[in-house]
Amino acid sequence: MLGRRQIREKVIENLYSYYQNPIKQDLVEKNLVTEMSKIYNLYIYQLNFLVALKHVAENQIEIGKNKFIKIDSDINPNQKFVRNQILESLENNEERRSFTEKHKELTWDYNDEILIKTFQRIKAGKRYQDYMASQEISFEEDQKFIGKLFLRYIAENNDLHEKFEEFEMSWADDYHISNSMIQKTIGFLKEDVPSHTLVKAIKDEEDEEFAKKLLRQSLNNWEDAEKKLEERLVNWELERISLMDKIILVAAITEMDYFPQTPSKVIINEYIDISKVYASEKSNIFINGILDKYSKDNNRA
């Protein structure tokens, strides 16, 4: 699910989008909530990809059985992958099935080129071959194998990423969040315990309200935050600060001003880390200096 770090990132992204192309504030807020909720769609789409790999394997077993001239592996196919307990649990998960039923666009054609290509790469890999050759049959082995398979062939699959971005442009910034959700889902599954629910994208109303309030207050108090920023510049002019650096600083100052329950050290560290992802190479040093000074000037604990 979205942690506070990821929520702050989504706020930064939407503030940047707003200052590139200003629209009504209520629409900016609506877009923020929509983008956060769409991460769940990406999460389901990736889960469906894992389930689809299982179906591709099953189809290949059936093709082997129907060959006119069969070899032993066609007659007695190794079904360890298609009977993997994690894949079976995901396939039968009620929430995944129900959500996919309502969002048919998140299903996979079992003849999809990327799906087939990915399965072929998996089969050619040593990890898959060792797994299939192993005589061990255990939930723990199945869980460990699927966890590593996901990281290697889905989370790091550039062809898949391109397909996702064609489907939904905002997903380009959301892979790390969805990947984390998938890993948690695989890790949470228990042996002989049916899986009915999944990880939520937004934990609760409190997290959603935090996101909307941070966005709203950053927009409403932009000029005031800019003045506070300008007062702490040394041998530098406000106009020379990049838009992204300014947005990060304004959001951080806003959070210090309007979210007193969050320690300033936490806020500063969060926005320094965000700057390492979204801003220039040396921005984190500049942002750290400004925020540290602002915190001390205001005796902000």
Side-chain angles (χ1 to χ4, degrees):
M1 69 183 68
L2 284 161
R4 287 296 171 97
R5 163 78 58 78
Q6 287 80 28
I7 290 174
R8 291 180 177 98
E9 288 179 4
K10 299 308 292 183
V11 169
I12 294 297
E13 289 171 14
N14 278 268
L15 285 171
Y16 186 80
S17 177
Y18 172 81
Y19 280 98
Q20 293 283 74
N21 183 30
I23 56 176
K24 291 183 179 180
Q25 184 171 315
D26 60 334
L27 291 178
V28 182
E29 198 170 298
K30 183 179 179 181
N31 287 344
L32 171 64
V33 175
T34 299
E35 284 185 18
M36 290 195 298
S37 65
K38 280 183 179 178
I39 294 172
Y40 186 81
N41 293 48
L42 172 59
Y43 166 62
I44 294 293
Y45 204 21
Q46 288 183 294
L47 285 178
N48 287 347
F49 191 84
L50 276 170
V51 173
L53 287 171
K54 177 178 180 293
H55 286 284
V56 170
E58 289 171 338
N59 288 344
Q60 291 197 2
I61 289 174
E62 287 303 310
I63 290 171
K65 288 180 179 180
N66 293 322
K67 285 181 180 177
F68 184 73
I69 300 176
K70 302 179 181 68
I71 59 176
D72 183 62
S73 60
D74 296 324
I75 300 169
N76 299 295
N78 186 338
Q79 299 191 56
K80 190 171 182 179
F81 182 75
V82 298
R83 291 182 177 175
N84 180 284
Q85 295 172 76
I86 300 301
L87 293 181
E88 288 184 336
S89 184
L90 293 176
E91 182 177 26
N92 296 323
N93 181 276
E94 294 177 5
E95 187 172 323
R96 183 198 66 82
R97 293 165 69 101
S98 176
F99 193 85
T100 303
E101 186 64 30
K102 296 174 184 175
H103 299 271
K104 301 287 190 181
E105 72 277 8
L106 301 179
T107 58
W108 287 90
D109 179 348
Y110 299 151
N111 294 312
D112 183 274
E113 182 181 354
I114 295 175
L115 182 64
I116 299 296
K117 181 180 176 181
T118 301
F119 183 67
Q120 290 171 343
R121 287 179 58 213
I122 291 170
K123 282 186 68 176
K126 184 177 184 302
R127 181 172 288 120
Y128 176 88
Q129 292 172 10
D130 288 347
Y131 171 75
M132 297 297 280
S134 171
Q135 297 301 309
E136 179 185 356
I137 302 293
S138 71
F139 183 86
E140 290 74 19
E141 185 197 27
D142 285 355
Q143 192 171 45
K144 184 177 180 180
F145 172 71
I146 295 301
K148 290 184 176 180
L149 179 147
F150 170 75
L151 288 174
R152 176 67 180 86
Y153 296 101
I154 300 178
E156 299 177 0
N157 190 326
N158 290 329
D159 291 338
L160 199 53
H161 289 182
E162 289 180 12
K163 186 178 182 72
F164 290 153
E165 288 175 37
E166 290 174 5
F167 189 99
E168 177 59 55
M169 195 184 308
S170 66
W171 284 351
D173 298 313
D174 298 334
Y175 298 133
H176 64 298
I177 301 172
S178 180
N179 290 343
S180 175
M181 291 167 67
I182 297 279
Q183 288 177 277
K184 287 179 181 178
T185 301
I186 293 170
F188 287 161
L189 294 174
K190 303 296 181 186
E191 187 173 8
D192 298 325
V193 178
S195 173
H196 300 297
T197 59
L198 296 171
V199 176
K200 297 184 182 300
I202 304 173
K203 184 174 69 175
D204 50 33
E205 290 183 5
E206 183 179 339
D207 274 358
E208 183 175 324
E209 185 53 39
F210 169 79
K212 292 192 290 187
K213 180 180 177 182
L214 179 58
L215 178 71
R216 192 184 314 125
Q217 296 291 15
S218 296
L219 290 171
N220 291 341
N221 298 281
W222 182 271
E223 291 183 4
D224 183 50
E226 272 193 328
K227 289 177 183 177
K228 294 172 180 177
L229 166 58
E230 190 170 24
E231 290 169 0
R232 287 158 183 84
L233 294 176
V234 178
N235 299 322
W236 204 257
E237 296 176 357
L238 186 66
E239 291 73 20
R240 294 179 64 188
I241 300 175
S242 72
L243 176 59
M244 181 54 77
D245 283 1
K246 190 183 294 185
I247 285 171
I248 291 171
L249 285 163
V250 167
I253 289 171
T254 299
E255 189 167 349
M256 285 191 191
D257 289 347
Y258 292 93
F259 296 83
Q261 71 277 15
T262 308
S264 61
K265 185 177 180 180
V266 171
I267 294 172
I268 292 172
N269 287 339
E270 290 281 86
Y271 285 98
I272 287 173
D273 286 343
I274 289 171
S275 72
K276 292 175 182 178
V277 176
Y278 291 93
S280 60
E281 186 177 348
K282 296 183 180 180
S283 291
N284 63 301
I285 299 171
F286 170 65
I287 288 168
N288 182 30
I290 295 293
L291 295 181
D292 185 60
K293 184 168 177 36
Y294 184 74
S295 175
K296 290 176 179 176
D297 288 348
N298 290 277
N299 296 315
R300 179 69 160 73

